[in-house]
Amino acid sequence: MNTRIGILTGGGDCPGLNAVIRAVVKTSAKRGWETVGILGGFDGLLTPVRSRPLDYHEMDGLLFVGGTILGTSNKGRFTAKTGHGEVQRVPSDILEEAKANIEALGLRALVVVGGDGSLTIAQQLYETGVPIVGVPKTIDNDLEATATTFGFDSAVACATDALDRLRTTAESHSRVMVLEVMGRYAGWIAVAAGIAGGGDVILIPEIPFEYESICTKIAERSADGRRFTLVVVAEGARERGGDYATVGGDESNREARLGGMGARVAAEIQRRTGQETRVCVLGHLQRGGAPTTFDRLICTRFGTRAVQLVAEERFGCMVAFRPPDMVGVKITEAIGRLRQVPADGEWVLTARSLGISFGDR
Ligand code: F6P
């Protein structure tokens, strides 16, 4: 029988998933291997298995198509993270069922394209005896062991474009415009877009904020003749001593849904300063559309390297970007803890040097 490998996409989608799938299928085909796509994330591995062969020619033109042709899910029977990032063990009967189905499919290995939650599940499958290779995906950029995840650059481009657009309307109306971006426990998108898009205030999970400090910044700008202010808020940002803003009820078998911090911050700014304030929630626009050139390139390199790791039988490993190289690292190195924005790191210092406020002093 021909060598056959499987691939699945797990967790929230993001630009570049199809580019990784394309690279894996094409690289495998060049080796004479077949690739089978598992549909709908990890749950596709459970009986009745949902899978289909992926054809080399089907990959044409996929490089710049958003979403994932395999489908994905960030809930279901394989949940490894709940609440606010609490790790839970996937029940062993679920892992064993998946393992048996992977064997029945005749897969030499399974490539899992996912973020922290999906790679935590992948590690548990690996410990059950499934040959796994990981590829680091998330717009949040919060995985350790890799310089960057794919999807992040595309999300930052989207958020920066939004700030460019909000600036002109803020200026025309002399308003405070608040832009809420994604970023559950790490503020990478907020800081990157805030710097690249000329934000005045950036609020991130890593640096608790105080309204007084934000209002002081707005007053300083007014005193300087600037009647508008751009505030970038990561969805997971919190007031000092405050709580997350969440939407929807708690669902026991998935992570809490964050959202609403932008509206909360906007209302409080308007109440305290009297300046007209509006909020824009960028939401899933950050996760859709074509990947940037940078993401297309690293997705292609991630996918190609993943197939090489399978060939080298380096299971339990994830491809990591260590510029200028793509290397294999243990998945456990990536999922041990979240990679957050260092509060005294170069990005934050760069922003502070420009006069950007983090609402903390
Ligand atoms: O983890 C990626 C992410 O985009 C988070 O920033 C965000 O909180 C979450 O996914 C939203 O997921 P959903 O698709 O369930 O709304």
Side-chain angles (χ1 to χ4, degrees):
M1 193 174 85
N2 276 348
T3 297
R4 183 183 292 163
I5 65 169
I7 180 168
L8 71 77
T9 51
D13 72 338
C14 81
L17 285 165
N18 283 327
V20 175
I21 295 167
R22 171 183 175 271
V24 166
V25 172
K26 287 200 160 197
T27 310
S28 299
K30 289 288 175 205
R31 287 178 177 269
W33 298 357
E34 294 170 10
T35 308
V36 172
I38 308 297
L39 308 180
F42 287 96
D43 277 29
L45 289 169
L46 298 177
T47 312
V49 170
R50 285 178 295 137
S51 69
R52 69 176 178 87
L54 296 172
D55 178 62
Y56 185 91
H57 297 290
E58 187 192 343
M59 300 300 119
D60 286 351
L62 263 194
L63 190 54
F64 49 81
V65 180
T68 160
I69 57 165
L70 299 178
T72 189
S73 174
N74 57 6
K75 59 179 188 180
R77 284 181 287 172
F78 278 88
T79 305
K81 295 258 167 137
T82 56
H84 290 294
E86 285 87 55
V87 180
Q88 94 179 4
R89 221 172 146 81
V90 177
S92 54
D93 56 321
I94 297 281
L95 294 172
E96 290 296 342
E97 185 179 327
K99 182 184 171 196
N101 285 333
I102 288 166
E103 282 167 5
L105 284 169
L107 303 183
R108 170 166 171 185
L110 179 68
V111 176
V112 174
V113 188
D116 178 54
S118 302
L119 291 172
T120 302
I121 298 167
Q123 175 64 21
Q124 293 182 15
L125 267 177
Y126 171 66
E127 287 164 10
T128 313
V130 177
I132 295 276
V133 164
V135 174
K137 166 240 69 163
T138 165
I139 64 165
D140 291 353
N141 200 31
D142 56 4
L143 272 178
E144 279 289 352
T146 182
T148 189
T149 56
F150 77 85
F152 171 63
D153 188 64
S154 303
V156 171
C158 175
T160 304
D161 177 58
L163 280 173
D164 291 348
R165 290 164 188 268
L166 291 175
R167 165 177 293 273
T168 53
T169 172
E171 203 166 0
S172 307
H173 286 267
S174 298
R175 282 175 174 160
V176 177
M177 294 295 306
V178 176
L179 176 68
E180 181 183 303
V181 298
M182 284 188 173
R184 299 180 67 82
Y185 310 119
W188 292 106
I189 297 175
V191 180
I195 294 173
D200 306 299
V201 178
I202 301 174
L203 306 179
I204 58 174
E206 295 86 343
I207 305 178
F209 66 84
E210 282 170 4
Y211 286 110
E212 208 180 307
S213 163
I214 300 170
C215 295
T216 302
K217 174 72 185 172
I218 294 169
E220 279 170 13
R221 284 180 57 78
S222 290
D224 198 28
R226 269 101 123 242
R227 294 281 305 138
F228 75 98
T229 298
L230 289 178
V231 181
V232 188
V233 182
E235 61 183 350
R238 283 183 289 172
E239 190 183 356
R240 195 182 305 282
D243 219 345
Y244 291 109
T246 53
V247 286
D250 276 355
E251 292 176 72
S252 58
N253 214 30
R254 69 181 302 176
E255 279 199 276
R257 284 180 58 209
L258 301 189
M261 190 47 84
R264 209 186 271 185
V265 167
E268 194 58 21
I269 289 175
Q270 179 155 323
R271 193 183 71 76
R272 289 180 183 236
T273 64
Q275 188 168 358
E276 210 174 19
T277 305
R278 295 284 189 267
V279 63
C280 169
V281 180
L282 204 48
H284 294 78
L285 286 174
Q286 293 156 99
R287 295 229 309 247
T292 56
T293 307
F294 177 81
D295 271 340
R296 289 181 204 192
L297 182 57
I298 57 166
C299 284
T300 304
R301 296 175 67 197
F302 275 141
T304 300
R305 193 76 179 93
V307 175
Q308 282 166 6
L309 289 182
V310 172
E312 292 161 14
E313 303 199 325
R314 292 179 61 193
F315 303 127
C317 281
M318 177 193 90
V319 188
F321 184 37
R322 298 267 170 90
D325 299 316
M326 287 288 172
V327 301
V329 299
K330 295 261 177 245
I331 293 175
T332 47
E333 280 183 47
I335 59 174
R337 66 188 170 96
L338 284 182
R339 190 165 71 100
Q340 292 188 298
V341 178
D344 53 1
E346 198 262 336
W347 281 29
V348 170
L349 295 183
T350 297
R352 289 199 199 277
S353 308
L354 295 168
I356 296 172
S357 163
F358 284 84
D360 61 328
R361 35 175 100 146

